[in-house]
Amino acid sequence: MMTIREIQQFALWDRMKEKRALFSFDLDLTARCNNNCRHCYINVPANDPVAQARELTLPEIAHIADQAVELGALWCLVTGGEPLLRDDFADVYLMLKRKGLLVSVFTNATMIRDEHIALFKKYPPRDIEVTIYGATRETCEAVTRRPGSFAAFVRGLDLLVDAGVRVRLKAMALRSNLHEMEAIAAFGRARTKDFYRFDPQLHLRFDGDPARNAEIKEERLTPEEVVALERADEHRFGALQKGCGTLINEGFTHIDCDHLFHCGAGNGSFNVGYDGTFRLCSSLWAPGTTVSLREARLREAWDSLVPHVRDLRSRDAEYLATCRRCAIVNLCLHCAAHAHLETGAMDGATPYFCKVAHARAAAISGGAKLEIASR
């Protein structure tokens, strides 16, 4: 028997599939980056010739954007890698704006120049989201592994803030910057009244690079550290406590459903990789879940991939008996896409995320013992 939440999700998907409705899409302009962050799941060197040769051209991006708008897209997130590495970034940005799209940009801010400020002031973005890696040069550059990146980041961020561009700030909580998280929060909140958030959970590389994956695992906080950090944030932990009734749902343990996807994948949004690969979310790289938009039209990709992915099912008895019936699944980063990155299987076991979920559950339930399936 499915929960009311799941019934609503599948009903929404059916309605959207019928209407072929799209609302937003993410566009990865490049996988290249001028930083070399230890925790990054996608970056390759800024001068990588192979990655650069695979990047979509401006006409290709315009063609995809036309198709997205035709299907109803209203908002586009431009990201990377570092999107400002593209020599034609301004051309791409203006092209998307002229098609009537609300455009957001994710950047590390180190490459922001006066010409970017002039562009953003004349043609304002929906917002620009910038990541803070450290509140001091030593910590920031321990993460980015690029000398001079802290000064470049502060200069770029201050240019944006002083120009009145809407900036949203975030931070990844890492082993390398955990000691500065309070200072990072103060740094962020001093520069924006709009938004500041942090994310303590890291997933593995899209390319599966074992050496880089080992670095990501080294940067992960322990479950106890994750919970301590969240408890120290009054607003974040208060939201967890307020949502306790849905985040810990013991009735969920009686579900008899083998579908792999119970998230928003395919519900009005999609991702376009820097090489034109269509995905229902940026983390979904499993075989059989992608389509090349260099070989298929967007409508064809959408109409074929959404029902296919949403109908993928597990035949793993252990997964169906544990993760699929877990009462605290909403506290866990476990999803089919992340499971594939962790294990090579979309229903693979992800013990790290499981331990974080259990630590969160114990914290928001006041330490009460919960009988919850795990593996």
Side-chain angles (χ1 to χ4, degrees):
M1 180 177 178
M2 298 175 68
T3 63
I4 292 176
R5 175 172 171 266
E6 286 195 313
I7 292 171
Q8 291 172 335
Q9 286 178 331
F10 276 93
L12 174 62
W13 169 61
D14 285 337
R15 291 196 302 273
M16 295 182 68
K17 181 177 65 172
E18 180 181 348
K19 295 180 179 180
R20 295 184 173 89
L22 294 178
F23 302 120
S24 67
F25 64 101
D26 298 351
L27 173 63
D28 300 339
L29 282 190
T30 181
R32 297 176 294 125
C33 190
N34 57 326
N35 287 336
N36 184 27
C37 297
R38 286 177 53 83
H39 65 285
C40 189
Y41 50 74
I42 190 172
N43 69 311
V44 295
N47 59 355
D48 188 303
V50 175
Q52 189 166 11
R54 295 175 61 191
E55 291 171 4
L56 291 169
T57 64
L58 176 60
E60 287 177 317
I61 296 170
H63 184 51
I64 292 170
D66 281 336
Q67 297 174 72
V69 170
E70 181 183 339
L71 291 179
L74 301 174
W75 171 45
C76 176
L77 167 63
V78 177
T79 182
E82 173 47 56
L84 269 62
L85 271 174
R86 290 272 302 234
D87 292 337
D88 59 355
F89 169 81
D91 296 326
V92 173
Y93 179 83
L94 284 173
M95 176 271 294
L96 295 170
K97 292 283 289 184
R98 286 168 178 156
K99 293 185 186 301
L101 289 161
L102 298 170
V103 181
S104 296
V105 180
F106 281 8
T107 176
N108 60 35
T110 62
M111 299 184 69
I112 294 289
R113 300 290 182 267
D114 291 338
E115 56 265 33
H116 298 117
I117 298 302
L119 174 69
F120 295 142
K121 289 187 72 172
K122 187 172 184 179
Y123 304 100
R126 180 177 183 268
D127 53 48
I128 294 182
E129 189 161 304
V130 179
T131 302
I132 308 169
Y133 299 116
T136 63
R137 179 186 63 80
E138 292 77 12
T139 297
C140 175
E141 295 179 8
V143 175
T144 66
R145 296 187 287 199
R146 186 171 77 88
S149 58
F150 180 69
F153 153 71
V154 173
R155 178 184 182 278
L157 177 59
D158 286 346
L159 281 173
L160 290 168
V161 172
D162 292 345
V165 178
R166 186 184 182 198
V167 176
R168 296 156 67 93
L169 295 174
K170 62 183 178 183
M172 298 303 300
L174 313 170
R175 176 70 47 214
S176 293
N177 67 14
L178 179 60
H179 64 289
E180 274 193 8
M181 285 307 296
E182 186 173 341
I184 288 171
F187 179 99
R189 290 181 173 129
R191 284 167 172 78
T192 178
K193 296 178 181 179
D194 176 57
F195 195 72
Y196 168 78
R197 66 181 174 87
F198 68 88
D199 186 352
Q201 292 190 259
L202 311 178
H203 62 69
L204 299 184
R205 294 275 299 188
F206 293 156
D207 60 13
D209 185 308
R212 297 300 301 265
N213 277 344
E215 291 180 338
I216 292 172
K217 290 179 180 179
E218 289 173 359
E219 288 293 336
R220 284 176 171 171
L221 306 183
T222 67
E224 293 74 23
E225 287 170 330
V226 170
V227 168
L229 194 60
E230 291 177 335
R231 292 194 73 142
D233 187 307
E234 178 181 338
H235 298 292
R236 185 185 183 111
F237 193 68
L240 286 174
Q241 289 181 310
K242 185 176 180 180
C244 181
T246 54
L247 294 172
I248 300 177
N249 181 5
E250 295 189 57
F252 198 77
T253 60
H254 302 298
I255 280 182
D256 184 17
C257 178
D258 57 3
H259 283 89
L260 285 169
F261 288 86
H262 296 81
C263 59
N267 286 346
S269 64
F270 63 90
N271 170 267
V272 180
Y274 72 98
D275 59 355
T277 301
F278 172 91
R279 301 179 177 86
L280 297 190
C281 81
S282 62
S283 299
L284 188 54
W285 288 60
T289 65
T290 65
V291 174
S292 172
L293 294 182
R294 282 174 161 155
E295 300 174 3
R297 289 186 59 80
L298 178 57
R299 181 181 291 277
E300 176 187 342
W302 177 260
D303 287 348
S304 63
L305 208 58
V306 171
H308 167 69
V309 169
R310 297 298 306 197
D311 196 45
L312 289 173
R313 300 165 186 260
S314 174
R315 294 294 179 266
D316 185 286
E318 185 179 3
Y319 167 82
L320 294 173
T322 54
C323 297
R324 192 62 206 94
R325 293 172 173 263
C326 184
I328 56 171
V329 66
N330 291 328
L331 290 170
C332 179
L333 195 62
H334 184 286
C335 74
H338 291 139
H340 175 260
L341 295 175
E342 292 280 321
T343 70
M346 287 189 282
D347 52 5
T350 55
Y352 171 74
F353 298 137
C354 182
K355 290 175 183 177
V356 171
H358 278 262
R360 282 175 170 159
I364 66 176
S365 62
K369 185 176 179 180
L370 299 172
E371 296 297 331
I372 301 169
S374 62
R375 60 170 175 159

